[in-house]
């Protein structure tokens, strides 16, 4: 293992996390229910109005004279809303009753900074609070207290997002199972069985190394069970989704998978760039769902797609859009209670300084996913009670 990799792992293992008072109480053990949650993050702030389009709304077209998607190109969903024409793959899921679109999702006193808003979504904090643990990380604390299974939550990336960092338990970040296995094999000289030290941080580091090495062995063995032949594209998101599908179908005992697609910060010449990324998302998710369905694993899986904020209603002078607030999110699965359009269309007549007003707190979505999909105590993990939604 390269020295920089060891240093990175050391830093991850020994970082002290600032935890609010409500998380300092001991967490009860929560049994996993065998279901999976797959999270796809659209980084940069996806423009929700050009994703799910109010094609009958004159204000939309007046606000975006050159950027609006023309009605004859929109993929119609109902009499008011339609999809971006790059999203044919997700329209198929919509028609099959496997897609729920939730509009007007956000949080009070929104922040338009990418980094801060993403931190808020990752930590599930109020906009004025700073929490150094993530909502999935706290789920791991509750689920895996005392266990040695970092692979309970896996992020397909080179580094771990705040969302998957808990007080006592973190998720696992990896891009390639085989490379991860090789790296941990190279780290074996540092991983001495039975190592003890008077230094608590050093003990924790070696414990983390041992658990991570064990996870690498487990994932490597499982990853050879199933190799997908589904027609995934060659882009990064499709490759990540293929990896997740192979792990799920192989029977890996992982509850949460996390991946991301970047490129949605579309201040300039938005249409082409956004369409490219929405096509990657739509096609990738369609193949992913069909792969799981063919292998009889779809019923266990719910997919959640979000971005840190939407864009402003009016286009800017560069044929793009600037940072906004409320947005739409997607939930995909075969066991949806309310497939289709979940709630009201964005109201373009009632704006807050040119931005959409949220009507659903994103933590209501989290509470529903935690409780209904993962079988967890959502109030314990989120620190307060949020009204659950009836989409699953």
């Amino acid at each position: 293992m390269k020295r920089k990799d060891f240093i990175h792992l050391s830093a991850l293992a020994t970082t002290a996390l600032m935890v609010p008072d409500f998380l300092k109480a001991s967490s009860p053990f929560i049994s996993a229910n065998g279901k999976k949650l797959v999270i796809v993050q659209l980084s940069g702030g996806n423009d929700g109005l050009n994703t799910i389009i109010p094609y009958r709304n004159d204000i939309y077209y007046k606000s975006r004279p050159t950027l609006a998607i023309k009605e004859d190109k929109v993929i119609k969903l109902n009499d008011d809303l339609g999809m971006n024409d790059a999203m044919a793959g997700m329209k198929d899921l919509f028609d099959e009753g496997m897609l729920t679109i939730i509009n007007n999702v956000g949080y009070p006193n929104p922040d338009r900074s990418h980094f801060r808003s993403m931190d808020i979504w990752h930590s599930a904090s109020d906009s004025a609070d700073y929490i150094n643990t993530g909502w999935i990380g706290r789920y791991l604390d509750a689920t895996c207290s005392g266990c040695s299974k970092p692979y309970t939550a896996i992020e397909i990336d080179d580094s771990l997002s705040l969302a998957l960092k808990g007080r006592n338990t973190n998720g696992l970040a990896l891009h390639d199972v085989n490379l991860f296995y090789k790296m941990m094999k190279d780290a074996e000289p540092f991983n001495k069985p039975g190592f003890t030290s008077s230094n608590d941080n050093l003990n924790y580091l070696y414990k983390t190394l041992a658990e991570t090495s064990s996870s690498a062995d487990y994932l490597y063995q499982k990853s050879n069970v199933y190799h997908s032949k589904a027609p995934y594209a060659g882009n990064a998101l499709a490759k990540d989704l293929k990896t997740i599908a192979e792990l799920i179908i192989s029977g890996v005992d992982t509850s949460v998978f996390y991946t991301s697609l970047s490129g949605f910060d579309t201040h300039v010449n938005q249409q082409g760039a956004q369409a490219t990324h929405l096509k990657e998302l739509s096609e990738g998710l369609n193949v992913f769902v069909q792969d799981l369905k063919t292998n009889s694993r779809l019923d266990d899986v719910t997919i959640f797609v979000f971005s840190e904020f939407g864009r402003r209603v009016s286009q800017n002078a560069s044929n793009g859009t600037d940072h906004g607030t409320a947005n739409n999110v997607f939930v995909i699965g075969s066991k949806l209670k309310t497939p289709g359009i979940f709630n009201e269309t964005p109201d373009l007549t009632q704006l807050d300084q040119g931005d959409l007003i949220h009507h659903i707190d994103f933590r209501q979505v989290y509470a529903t996913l935690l409780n209904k999909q993962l079988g967890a105590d959502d109030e314990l993990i989120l620190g307060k009670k949020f009204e659950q939604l009836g989409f699953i």
Side-chain angles (χ1 to χ4, degrees):
M1 182 171 67
K2 295 180 180 178
R3 182 174 180 272
K4 67 177 182 179
D5 295 326
F6 182 75
I7 292 172
H8 172 71
L9 186 56
S10 301
L12 181 62
T14 59
T15 297
L17 297 176
M18 296 172 58
V19 185
D21 290 340
F22 77 83
L23 294 173
K24 292 181 179 178
S26 60
S27 299
F29 183 82
I30 300 173
S31 298
N33 60 7
K35 294 184 179 181
K36 316 288 186 185
L37 175 62
V38 177
I39 302 171
V40 181
Q41 171 183 304
L42 307 182
S43 301
N46 179 47
D47 178 21
L49 282 177
N50 270 23
T51 301
I52 303 300
I53 301 155
Y55 68 90
R56 299 278 300 270
N57 194 311
D58 290 340
I59 298 175
Y60 166 72
Y61 287 101
K62 290 177 181 177
S63 300
R64 301 181 170 204
T66 61
L67 189 61
I69 307 298
K70 294 180 179 179
E71 183 177 346
D72 60 357
K73 288 188 175 182
V74 172
I75 302 174
K76 307 295 195 311
L77 301 178
N78 60 23
D79 290 340
D80 297 305
L81 295 176
M83 281 183 175
N84 189 292
D85 56 323
M87 299 176 68
M90 288 184 73
K91 176 59 161 59
D92 290 343
L93 299 179
F94 184 92
D95 291 342
E96 293 178 52
M98 293 195 290
L99 171 62
T100 295
I101 299 166
I102 307 177
N103 295 309
N104 307 311
V105 180
Y107 55 90
N109 303 310
D111 195 298
R112 292 174 182 80
S113 160
H114 290 295
F115 302 105
R116 179 60 191 143
S117 189
M118 192 62 84
D119 278 353
I120 291 167
W121 278 80
H122 281 182
S123 64
S125 68
D126 291 333
S127 60
D129 295 336
Y130 290 78
I131 300 176
N132 285 350
T133 59
W135 70 289
I136 297 299
R138 298 195 298 274
Y139 161 75
L140 295 177
D141 283 338
T143 304
C144 291
S145 180
C147 75
S148 57
K149 293 166 51 180
Y151 56 82
T152 299
I154 294 176
E155 181 164 5
I156 310 299
D157 205 335
D158 293 323
S159 59
L160 198 66
S161 298
L162 172 61
L164 281 76
K165 294 179 181 179
R167 180 190 177 201
N168 301 309
T169 308
N170 291 334
L172 199 62
L174 60 92
H175 236 140
D176 183 286
V177 173
N178 291 333
L179 290 177
F180 178 65
Y181 175 76
K182 183 179 184 303
M183 186 182 79
M184 293 313 302
K185 284 299 178 185
D186 290 343
E188 284 184 350
F190 299 101
N191 183 17
K192 301 175 183 178
F195 175 88
T196 58
S197 169
S198 58
N199 185 311
D200 289 342
N201 281 341
L202 197 56
N203 279 330
Y204 183 58
L205 170 61
Y206 274 93
K207 178 178 178 290
T208 301
L209 277 171
E211 291 174 354
T212 306
S213 180
S214 176
S215 295
D217 290 341
Y218 171 78
L219 293 172
Y220 180 73
Q221 292 170 10
K222 283 289 189 180
S223 68
N224 290 310
V225 173
Y226 172 75
H227 296 287
S228 179
K229 303 297 183 184
Y232 290 93
N235 59 70
L237 177 65
K239 292 177 180 178
D240 290 351
L241 291 172
K242 181 181 180 182
T243 296
I244 294 171
E246 289 177 340
L247 291 172
I248 291 174
I249 295 165
S250 294
V252 168
D253 188 18
T254 299
S255 298
V256 181
F257 295 89
Y258 200 103
T259 188
S260 60
L261 174 63
S262 61
F264 288 95
D265 194 17
T266 50
H267 291 278
V268 179
N269 297 327
Q270 175 179 297
Q271 276 195 5
Q274 189 194 27
T276 296
H277 298 311
L278 288 178
K279 184 176 181 181
E280 291 174 0
L281 175 71
S282 180
E283 291 181 348
L285 288 174
N286 186 290
V287 175
F288 178 68
V289 167
Q290 301 310 323
D291 200 358
L292 295 177
K293 185 178 180 181
T294 298
N295 289 277
S296 303
R297 295 309 304 269
L298 183 59
D299 287 353
D300 296 329
V301 178
T302 294
I303 304 157
F304 170 56
V305 184
F306 81 99
S307 194
E308 70 264 35
F309 46 61
R311 317 294 290 192
R312 308 213 76 183
V313 173
S314 295
Q315 71 178 67
N316 61 27
S318 301
N319 204 33
T321 50
D322 297 325
H323 301 175
T325 53
N327 207 354
N328 40 55
V329 302
F330 304 125
V331 182
I332 299 169
S334 60
K335 298 293 186 179
L336 301 177
K337 283 189 175 180
T338 51
I341 308 295
F342 181 78
N343 58 337
E344 71 277 4
T345 301
D347 186 352
L348 303 188
T349 66
Q350 298 291 324
L351 303 179
D352 181 8
Q353 300 179 51
D355 287 323
L356 297 174
I357 299 172
H358 88 279
H359 295 288
I360 291 178
D361 193 302
F362 74 94
R363 290 163 294 188
Q364 294 179 255
V365 181
Y366 286 3
T368 309
L369 293 170
L370 286 165
N371 186 278
K372 302 300 184 185
Q373 183 66 15
L374 296 177
D377 185 337
D378 55 287
E379 186 173 359
L380 170 74
I381 292 165
L382 298 176
K384 63 178 74 171
K385 191 66 177 177
F386 290 93
E387 181 182 358
Q388 293 180 26
L389 306 173
F391 57 83
I392 55 174

